Amino acid sequence: MKKNSERILLAHGSGGKLMQELIQESILPNFKSPILKKLNDSAVFSLGNKRIAYTTDSYVVNPIFFPGGDIGSLAVWGTVNDLAMVGAQPLYLTLSLIIEEGFLRSDLDRILFSIKRACRKADIEVVGGDLKVVEKGSADKIFINSSGVGMVSKGVNISACGARAGDKVIINGYMAEHGIAILNERENLKFSTKIKSDSAPLNGLVKDMLSVSRSVHTMRDPTRGGVAAVLNEIAQASNVGILVYEDKLPMTEVVKGACEMLGFDPLYVANEGKLLAFVSPEDAETVLESMRKNPYGRKSQIIGEVVRGSKRTVFLKTSIGGTRIIDMPSGEQLPRIC
Ligand code: MG
């Protein structure tokens, strides 16, 4: 038992070490579900003869409007992507809005319009919701919880524990854009206006990938904690070592420059339209080719591989030829990023 005086910190919500600890020590011991234990992006279970994926997320991003998106599209696509990461076809969505008293009605309408467009783009339908208003100061503007349901096809088995030695690691494009876009907007940093969030629905891309291969073993979207956190989660869940090549990591010059100026390692910066896929080496090129034909995968790249030995560790081969360990993020880099 922890001391009664211990408090929740922002870092407990960062997607890094403290969050993992909180989940393992406080949350999981209360719920014995073997489905939950897998800690996949969506729970997958059978109902009758259908396999269903189900997921829930809350969105507290600050600011609520940012280049490349807003809290509405983020809530829809974030949930769509968590369904897609287990190979599910997203079908239905519910949304809960928690609004602070005094919030502009026109801003709410703008967010709802964005939700409508985002649903159309991802081919998902809002079928339910809830609305709460809290006193001024009890919440910041608006928070959104979204839950989604999808269907998993026969023969699709994608799980965080599925990566195996030899698998190639593929990313579908430029890293670190969402985190830097949010920071640029929030702190008024005046970096190039070309920095936009990569927020996007990935279900169409995943569908293309699965239509050419049944050897996509693992997928996850590197949101909070970035690529580094997800690689570590998968190295642990699959009990493997992962090697990543620094000179293969796709990044725009402007984001790279912003990260350098701010002292951020782009591997730890959030993405909202990226996925990491672990694919058997025989199928990796075919999957890569199919991804590059999709608008959300044009800059797809093999960035690394699963290596033998060195279990549960992620290594980076640097561009100057050295090797270093990529650890799980420890502190809080950017709160309220999504
Ligand atoms: Mg996810």
Side-chain angles (χ1 to χ4, degrees):
M1 222 12 135
K2 294 270 168 179
K3 275 185 289 184
N4 284 335
S5 58
E6 199 178 324
R7 292 181 193 268
I8 296 296
L9 309 173
L10 276 173
H12 280 113
S14 67
K17 264 184 200 148
L18 280 181
M19 186 161 147
Q20 271 202 337
E21 227 175 80
L22 191 70
I23 291 171
Q24 293 298 337
E25 291 174 8
S26 282
I27 297 176
L28 290 184
N30 290 294
F31 309 102
K32 299 291 180 205
S33 163
I35 302 170
L36 176 65
K37 233 173 81 184
K38 291 183 183 164
L39 297 178
N40 278 324
D41 284 358
S42 292
V44 178
F45 47 85
S46 295
L47 282 182
N49 58 357
K50 298 270 188 275
R51 283 168 76 225
I52 303 296
Y54 179 41
T55 188
T56 190
D57 294 89
S58 295
Y59 293 85
V60 297
V61 67
N62 174 33
I64 53 176
F65 301 105
F66 50 85
D70 56 72
I71 193 169
S73 54
L74 199 66
V76 174
W77 292 341
T79 295
V80 161
N81 292 349
D82 276 345
L83 291 170
M85 291 309 106
V86 295
Q89 180 201 347
L91 295 171
Y92 300 112
L93 199 66
T94 63
L95 293 168
S96 289
L97 311 179
I98 299 165
I99 305 173
E100 183 189 18
E101 173 190 18
F103 189 63
L104 275 178
R105 177 83 177 254
S106 57
D107 280 349
L108 178 63
D109 288 341
R110 195 175 152 195
I111 290 166
L112 290 168
F113 182 73
S114 167
I115 288 174
K116 174 176 140 181
R117 271 188 43 200
C119 285
R120 201 184 301 142
K121 239 178 156 171
D123 199 18
I124 193 168
E125 185 182 335
V126 176
V127 292
D130 181 48
L131 174 78
K132 296 281 181 346
V133 180
V134 297
E135 304 93 327
K136 195 154 189 56
S138 298
D140 187 14
K141 298 187 263 308
I142 183 169
F143 297 155
I144 301 179
N145 173 271
S146 57
S147 302
V149 172
M151 197 116 78
V152 186
S153 298
K154 243 196 171 132
V156 174
N157 274 303
I158 297 168
S159 173
C161 62
R164 50 197 92 158
D167 278 0
K168 300 290 182 191
V169 185
I170 307 178
I171 192 168
N172 62 313
Y174 298 130
M175 292 194 320
E177 294 183 326
H178 178 73
I180 298 300
I182 293 290
L183 194 68
N184 192 22
E185 187 71 13
R186 191 193 297 171
E187 308 296 337
N188 213 351
L189 295 177
K190 311 239 164 38
F191 282 124
S192 162
T193 50
K194 274 192 262 171
I195 300 183
K196 272 196 186 133
S197 168
D198 61 337
S199 176
L202 299 177
N203 49 323
L205 177 68
V206 169
K207 196 175 167 194
D208 291 353
M209 295 163 70
L210 297 183
S211 73
V212 296
S213 172
R214 279 293 150 96
S215 298
V216 178
H217 299 142
T218 299
M219 282 193 288
R220 185 158 283 183
D221 50 343
T223 55
R224 272 175 303 176
V227 169
V230 164
L231 291 175
N232 272 282
E233 285 164 11
I234 292 173
Q236 281 164 30
S238 296
N239 195 29
V240 295
I242 301 171
L243 180 65
V244 175
Y245 304 103
E246 189 174 30
D247 57 4
K248 299 282 187 211
L249 296 171
M251 230 186 313
T252 62
E253 284 306 317
V254 51
V255 166
K256 202 183 215 170
C259 283
E260 269 165 24
M261 273 184 66
L262 295 166
F264 284 149
D265 183 338
L267 282 165
Y268 292 87
V269 178
N271 310 273
E272 285 292 341
K274 292 294 148 350
L275 62 80
L276 292 168
F278 289 66
V279 184
S280 73
E282 306 81 56
D283 279 16
E285 285 298 330
T286 314
V287 171
L288 188 65
E289 210 176 294
S290 77
M291 292 171 76
R292 285 180 174 161
K293 287 183 191 146
N294 185 289
Y296 298 122
R298 298 242 186 274
K299 301 290 172 189
S300 295
Q301 181 80 34
I302 294 175
I303 59 166
E305 61 197 292
V306 178
V307 290
R308 284 180 203 289
S310 22
K311 302 245 186 258
R312 304 164 82 90
T313 311
V314 182
F315 300 93
L316 182 77
K317 187 101 181 156
T318 66
S319 35
I320 53 165
T323 305
R324 69 177 166 91
I325 289 177
I326 303 284
D327 216 345
M328 197 73 182
S330 49
E332 174 56 74
Q333 203 176 38
L334 295 167
R336 293 182 60 187
I337 200 74
C338 56

